[in-house]
Amino acid sequence: MLDMTIIRLAAGLVLLIAANIALGSINAIIDGEWDRTKFRNGCIKSAVVAAALVAVYFAGYLNPDLMVVEVDGQTVNLMTAVSLAMLAAFTAYAVDVLKKLKDMLSTATPGADAAPTALPSGEGKEDHTAPEEE
């Protein structure tokens, strides 16, 4: 029987990776720095990370007690190690996505005309310091 917690964690990790790529891409598009190669490499990296996590999970599922390590008095088998690695990756991507969302929400959208600033009273837009032509 598959561990649904790990499946949910893996699905969430894939969604976080996709959100990270999407937010990074939209920021690059807004800045005019979008690079097709960088986008492609990010997608490939995310697919490789997901495939590696799936492979390691199934390796641990098939042989749960094959690799046993003791850390601070706790016995850690391959399944526990995979869970910890996925949780660490999930946390790292979640922090990165939340940072990008915060940055996106707290900055103005470029390209929008800024509202004109108020002029001090008694002054117009014309420059009266320039000499007048006769």
Side-chain angles (χ1 to χ4, degrees):
M1 175 115 175
L2 296 176
D3 183 5
M4 289 308 292
T5 303
I6 296 292
I7 302 299
R8 287 187 189 111
L9 188 61
L13 180 58
V14 169
L15 291 172
L16 283 171
I17 291 171
N20 191 25
I21 290 171
L23 289 171
S25 292
I26 197 67
N27 283 338
I29 289 169
I30 289 171
D31 293 340
E33 300 173 353
W34 190 79
D35 181 10
R36 181 183 201 133
T37 303
K38 190 172 182 181
F39 176 75
R40 184 194 69 219
N41 291 345
C43 291
I44 292 169
K45 177 184 169 185
S46 67
V48 169
V49 166
L53 287 171
V54 167
V56 172
Y57 173 78
F58 280 112
Y61 180 76
L62 294 173
N63 304 295
D65 296 321
L66 187 60
M67 181 183 93
V68 178
V69 179
E70 192 166 321
V71 179
D72 282 336
Q74 296 283 352
T75 302
V76 179
N77 63 13
L78 185 58
M79 287 304 293
T80 305
V82 169
S83 298
L84 293 173
M86 288 179 74
L87 186 58
F90 187 94
T91 303
Y93 273 101
V95 168
D96 196 35
V97 166
L98 290 174
K99 180 186 172 296
K100 285 180 181 177
L101 279 172
K102 179 197 121 333
D103 291 345
M104 189 172 283
L105 292 172
S106 64
T107 57
T109 303
D113 291 336
T117 57
L119 296 172
S121 61
E123 293 184 22
K125 289 185 179 181
E126 300 161 9
D127 185 10
H128 294 290
T129 60
E132 295 180 7
E133 293 183 26
E134 296 185 36

